[in-house]
Amino acid sequence: MSLGLLLRLGIGLLVLAFFAYRFYGVLVRGAYGAETWARLAISGLIIGSVYAVIALGYTLVYGILFMINFAHGEVMMIGAFAGYFVLEAFAASGFSARQPVLAIIITFLAGMTVSMLVGISLERIAYRPLRGAPRLVPLISAIGASIFLQNAAQLMFGSMRRTYSNPPALERNVGWVLEVAGKPVSITYTGVLTFAFSVVLMVGLYLLVQRTRLGRAMRAVAENKEAAALMGVDVDRVIANTFAISGVLAGAAGVMWGLHNGIIYHYVGFIPGLKAFTAAVLGGIGNIPGAMLGGIVLGIAESLTPAVLDMPFQLKDVLAFAVLVLVLIFRPTGILGEVLAEEKV
């Protein structure tokens, strides 16, 4: 057994011992009741499903171009603003009160369409001219695109925080109430919608990649661009379609974020984008099921870990990124492993 492996094993045992010690203290003191753990788990499952949808966009682009699109969180933010303005118009006209289901469907379509167009524009303007450049150059371009979109949104929409005008049938913090240990635990309508639609998007993407002609072309381009081109695959079109699908997912995540959390602003996509990248690495970058699993695991871990370690809940972001560090130390390929072409290994 190598010295490096022994060192990682020792660090892992220390981390586990620390977790066990802190959790034992929480249980002995009875700091949280069963209903609190249930609320935290439900909250983590909902936010984790949003992370999973965003992470799918990261893993799609990485699988095709072997690059991290750090502007993906800002694409989500633009989609959230598109949904916000549509709902504002519906609320002013009374349409969302008369036709709440149709209003929500149109809102999602608007957010997904706008984000799709932003994703396609990013690929065409910021990434395609740099396709043959060293790997670091597109990464710098992605960071620049992220900063540009943040500032553009601030100039266009202002820096103030805006609140989503949910239809009356989909009000925030309203839903079904269950009893856990004799105390109420709420399952909100927006939370159920977020989780259910996330699952639909995840399953739909997996079927698209595995069962459709476009999916076969995407897998061929990911494996070997030159060979795929020789077989008649339009590589540029496949890559553009990949960014379009990634944008659709980001737009849906942005609208779900707005409906469930309520508050959006020009910086709202940055932290969720980084956490979704963490989720993609956690599950296995380039691996679609891994991105789904990583998002759910990260969301639940982010929600439960402050309580488990008896730490302030304001530190949940720190703990989420600590997960990334631990994954990179102990399993750099993620839970399900990376999916890489031979030429990328």
Side-chain angles (χ1 to χ4, degrees), residues 1 42 75 90 124 184 203 337:
M1 188 177 292
I42 293 170
V75 177
F90 286 163
R124 187 67 183 86
V203 173

Side-chain angles (χ1 to χ4, degrees), residues 304-319:
L304 291 177
T305 303
V308 170
L309 297 181
D310 197 19
M311 292 181 173
F313 282 87
Q314 291 86 344
L315 295 178
K316 63 183 180 66
D317 291 342
V318 176
L319 295 171

Side-chain angles (χ1 to χ4, degrees), residues 42-160:
I42 293 170
S43 175
L45 191 64
I46 294 169
I47 197 66
S49 64
V50 178
Y51 292 158
V53 173
I54 305 172
L56 288 172
Y58 278 109
T59 209
L60 270 179
V61 172
Y62 184 88
I64 297 291
L65 291 179
F66 202 46
M67 65 162 283
I68 302 298
N69 179 19
F70 277 118
H72 192 58
E74 280 59 51
V75 177
M76 166 205 158
M77 175 266 295
I78 297 295
F81 269 106
Y84 165 81
F85 288 115
V86 169
L87 280 179
E88 284 290 298
F90 286 163
S93 65
F95 181 76
S96 57
R98 297 192 304 270
Q99 299 287 342
V101 175
L102 187 57
I104 291 298
I105 292 173
I106 295 174
T107 301
F108 270 107
L109 289 176
M112 294 159 75
T113 301
V114 170
S115 288
M116 179 187 71
L117 295 175
V118 173
I120 293 172
S121 300
L122 276 177
E123 189 276 329
R124 187 67 183 86
I125 297 170
Y127 302 143
R128 186 178 296 186
L130 304 175
R131 196 169 297 164
R135 201 177 293 172
L136 185 62
V137 176
L139 179 64
I140 296 172
S141 179
I143 295 172
S146 171
I147 296 171
F148 169 79
L149 288 175
Q150 288 174 14
N151 285 274
Q154 185 177 13
L155 289 173
M156 289 188 295
F157 311 132
S159 59
M160 72 288 289

Side-chain angles (χ1 to χ4, degrees), residues 139-334:
L139 179 64
I140 296 172
S141 179
I143 295 172
S146 171
I147 296 171
F148 169 79
L149 288 175
Q150 288 174 14
N151 285 274
Q154 185 177 13
L155 289 173
M156 289 188 295
F157 311 132
S159 59
M160 72 288 289
R161 295 170 181 256
R162 299 171 184 265
T163 303
Y164 254 56
S165 301
N166 288 24
L170 198 66
E171 292 183 16
R172 281 182 294 278
N173 303 318
V174 176
W176 298 279
V177 177
L178 305 177
E179 280 198 5
V180 177
K183 295 185 178 179
V185 174
S186 177
I187 302 177
T188 61
Y189 299 139
T190 55
V192 172
L193 173 65
T194 298
F195 180 74
F197 193 42
S198 297
V199 171
V200 170
L201 289 172
M202 288 185 266
V203 173
L205 177 65
Y206 184 78
L207 293 176
L208 183 148
V209 171
Q210 296 296 326
R211 303 290 179 86
T212 67
R213 184 175 181 179
L214 173 60
R216 288 194 297 272
M218 291 168 64
R219 285 183 280 128
V221 172
E223 185 67 29
N224 190 308
K225 293 183 182 63
E226 290 75 17
L230 291 173
M231 296 298 293
V233 176
D234 188 337
V235 174
D236 287 339
R237 184 175 180 181
V238 169
I239 293 174
N241 286 336
T242 301
F243 274 88
I245 296 169
S246 174
V248 165
L249 294 169
V255 175
M256 288 188 288
W257 184 277
L259 289 172
H260 184 65
N261 292 326
I263 304 297
I264 63 166
Y265 58 110
H266 67 283
Y267 203 63
V268 73
F270 183 70
I271 296 299
L274 287 181
K275 289 182 180 178
F277 169 64
T278 302
V281 174
L282 176 61
I285 193 74
N287 190 320
I288 291 177
M292 301 177 194
L293 178 62
I296 299 295
V297 170
L298 181 66
I300 294 175
E302 174 187 308
S303 184
L304 291 177
T305 303
V308 170
L309 297 181
D310 197 19
M311 292 181 173
F313 282 87
Q314 291 86 344
L315 295 178
K316 63 183 180 66
D317 291 342
V318 176
L319 295 171
F321 294 120
V323 170
L324 176 61
V325 175
L326 293 174
V327 170
L328 292 175
I329 292 173
F330 296 107
R331 188 168 173 80
T333 58

